[in-house]
Amino acid sequence: VTASGPGLKNNVAGIFSRVLLRVDLDAAAAAGLKISSKSFSVAVRRGPSPCETYISQMGKGLFAMDWACSVSGKYELAISCLGTHIQGSPFHFFVRNAVTDIDRTYFSGPTLFTSGRAASFTVHAVDQEGNARVKGGDNMQVSFRGPGSIRRLKVADSMKGKYSVNFTPLKVGEYVCDVSLDGKLLSASPYTFRVTSSLSHPTATTISGAGASYSHAGDTSTFTITTHDCNHNPTGVGGDTITGHLSHNETKGLTIPLEIVDCGDGTYTATYMAGLSGKYDIRLNLGGQRCFPPRFHTLKVVTSGVKADNCYIVLEATQKTHLDLLTSSGSSVTQKKGDLRAVETRMDAGSELKLFLSSCDRHGNVLRFSRIERFVCTVTDTCTGEVQDKSDDMKVLGFRWIQVLG
């Protein structure tokens, strides 16, 4: 029996080495011997630690002895076949400590992660001979570069030559991770990966655009809805079910539906038309869950310019609607838009009469803000036919009424 192979020269602590054992079958047959793996035995005559040995048959007349020890030093192994030393036995070995090679160590793992979720990749330690390390204890150091911070960073040593880099990315984008051993950068560095957003989160939804804060009554307005994940990263994709409406703050039960269109890139266009001026709450639901509390987003709907056909004359300054009009009989009627009539009333000579003009826009909304408009007011005495111009007596009162002194 003769021995050969790398296990006679290159031996590293903790790594199995292989010695090939070849049997002269003709000589064994002539001697009447039948050789099997059980015919061999290995004994450690000298060395700082015991050795593990395994002998297996690889083919006709060819056997393999795999052996390893855990401590470096000088060893003497005696290999016997049927109780007799094989050629060259006992063998002398020097087992050295395995050292992780920064040029041979490599990474493995996914390159696409989700923000806010635990992620990891593996560092595989390899020694200078190209053997995978089976022991841990290396001082691995990692550093990240990217659009956001990394949380819950930990390097876990499996004590079997593998190191797991565990972390949680928060922001979407491209990242690189540099891995060093005792301050020396590994040749496989950097480990590059990409972080994508997770599912849309209702409370992280935002709105933007002029239509989200201001609109004219009767006009069609729009604003943009942008979905984000729980870490406030824009999702960048559509497909969410978003519904919503506007709720008038002063008129209970008055709601304006929102027509919401998916743009396919994580943004949605909301379109509405409010006919009544005032303040409205924007209320949105994402997947059946409320996006933000009431009164969190409020928009103001204002009236447009004065429309002469939609202005009304009333008697009392406290009237809240322009539809209650005074007639000569003192009863209230509803006057249609564009059907403005003169107000007839009786009064004593020398007394004062106050009439109030309700200014409205083209949609019939009472103006709620002060505007300087040019009005002409004439008073006709039906008995004498005398006509008096009272335009100079008109005064702007507050934000709603114009007073006429007669």
Side-chain angles (χ1 to χ4, degrees):
V1 180
T2 58
S4 64
L8 295 176
K9 297 180 180 179
N10 299 321
N11 300 283
V12 180
I15 298 178
F16 279 93
S17 298
R18 171 163 287 187
V19 177
L20 297 178
L21 304 174
R22 295 184 181 274
V23 179
D24 188 342
L25 297 179
D26 294 336
L33 301 175
K34 186 176 181 180
I35 309 297
S36 67
S37 59
K38 295 182 179 180
S39 303
F40 294 92
S41 63
V42 181
V44 180
R45 287 189 172 183
R46 186 179 65 179
S49 71
C51 295
E52 293 184 59
T53 59
Y54 302 93
I55 297 178
S56 58
Q57 186 170 1
M58 299 181 64
K60 194 173 183 180
L62 182 63
F63 297 84
M65 184 194 77
D66 297 302
W67 72 282
C69 56
S70 58
V71 181
S72 63
K74 294 181 179 180
Y75 289 81
E76 182 180 303
L77 268 67
I79 305 176
S80 302
C81 180
L82 298 176
T84 303
H85 286 282
I86 69 172
Q87 183 179 345
S89 179
F91 297 94
H92 298 274
F93 303 93
F94 179 78
V95 178
R96 56 184 174 78
N97 281 322
V99 179
T100 300
D101 190 343
I102 62 173
D103 294 325
R104 295 177 181 266
T105 299
Y106 64 96
F107 309 130
S108 69
T111 57
L112 183 63
F113 301 110
T114 302
S115 67
R117 298 183 181 179
S120 68
F121 65 91
T122 303
V123 181
H124 299 266
V126 179
D127 68 12
Q128 58 270 37
E129 300 297 334
N131 301 305
R133 292 290 311 277
V134 295
K135 282 191 173 183
D138 291 322
N139 181 24
M140 293 290 180
Q141 303 154 342
V142 297
S143 62
F144 288 86
R145 289 174 286 132
S149 59
I150 298 294
R151 291 185 179 178
R152 302 183 183 91
L153 175 61
K154 181 180 180 181
V155 180
D157 187 352
S158 67
M159 303 307 294
K160 295 182 180 180
K162 296 181 181 180
Y163 302 83
S164 179
V165 181
N166 304 304
F167 58 96
T168 302
L170 299 182
K171 295 297 182 181
V172 172
E174 301 286 340
Y175 289 79
V176 295
C177 178
D178 294 322
V179 182
S180 303
L181 174 60
D182 294 325
K184 296 181 180 180
L185 189 66
L186 300 183
S187 297
S189 291
Y191 184 80
T192 60
F193 59 91
R194 185 164 62 92
V195 176
T196 61
S197 60
S198 57
L199 297 177
S200 302
H201 198 277
T203 59
T205 302
T206 61
I207 59 176
S208 60
S213 58
Y214 183 85
S215 177
H216 281 94
D219 292 344
T220 300
S221 301
T222 62
F223 60 86
T224 301
I225 304 170
T226 305
T227 55
H228 299 74
D229 63 14
C230 58
N231 294 300
H232 300 280
N233 296 300
T235 58
V237 294
D240 291 311
T241 301
I242 301 180
T243 58
H245 64 272
L246 305 181
S247 177
H248 198 276
N249 286 352
E250 300 176 5
T251 307
K252 186 177 180 180
L254 176 59
T255 60
I256 306 297
L258 293 175
E259 182 181 344
I260 300 175
V261 177
D262 188 350
C263 299
D265 58 356
T267 63
Y268 301 77
T269 300
T271 305
Y272 66 91
M273 184 185 72
L276 180 65
S277 60
K279 291 185 178 180
Y280 290 81
D281 288 337
I282 301 177
R283 301 190 179 182
L284 298 177
N285 292 280
L286 173 61
Q289 298 184 27
R290 180 180 292 173
C291 293
F292 30 74
R295 305 297 174 95
F296 189 78
H297 284 294
T298 302
L299 68 87
K300 185 177 182 180
V301 177
V302 299
T303 53
S304 53
V306 174
K307 181 71 172 178
D309 291 342
N310 284 347
C311 293
Y312 300 88
I313 300 174
V314 294
L315 185 62
E316 298 294 335
T318 57
Q319 285 185 235
K320 299 301 182 182
T321 172
H322 57 271
L323 298 179
D324 299 331
L325 304 174
L326 187 69
T327 65
S328 57
S329 62
S331 60
S332 296
V333 298
T334 299
Q335 187 173 2
K336 297 181 181 180
K337 297 178 181 178
D339 190 23
L340 183 61
R341 295 182 296 245
V343 175
E344 296 183 6
T345 186
R346 296 180 181 277
M347 60 182 296
D348 296 331
S351 63
E352 182 181 77
L353 172 65
K354 292 183 179 179
L355 298 178
F356 297 89
L357 175 65
S358 176
S359 302
C360 304
D361 65 7
R362 65 181 185 275
H363 302 291
N365 296 288
V366 177
L367 295 181
R368 296 172 180 264
F369 53 91
S370 179
R371 296 182 63 92
I372 305 300
E373 305 286 355
R374 177 58 180 172
F375 290 94
V376 176
C377 177
T378 59
V379 178
T380 303
D381 188 333
T382 57
C383 295
T384 63
E386 180 184 0
V387 178
Q388 301 181 45
D389 188 348
K390 295 292 185 178
S391 302
D392 294 337
D393 294 333
M394 298 178 66
K395 297 180 181 179
V396 177
L397 300 179
F399 301 107
R400 188 185 298 267
W401 310 99
I402 296 179
Q403 180 182 16
V404 181
L405 300 179

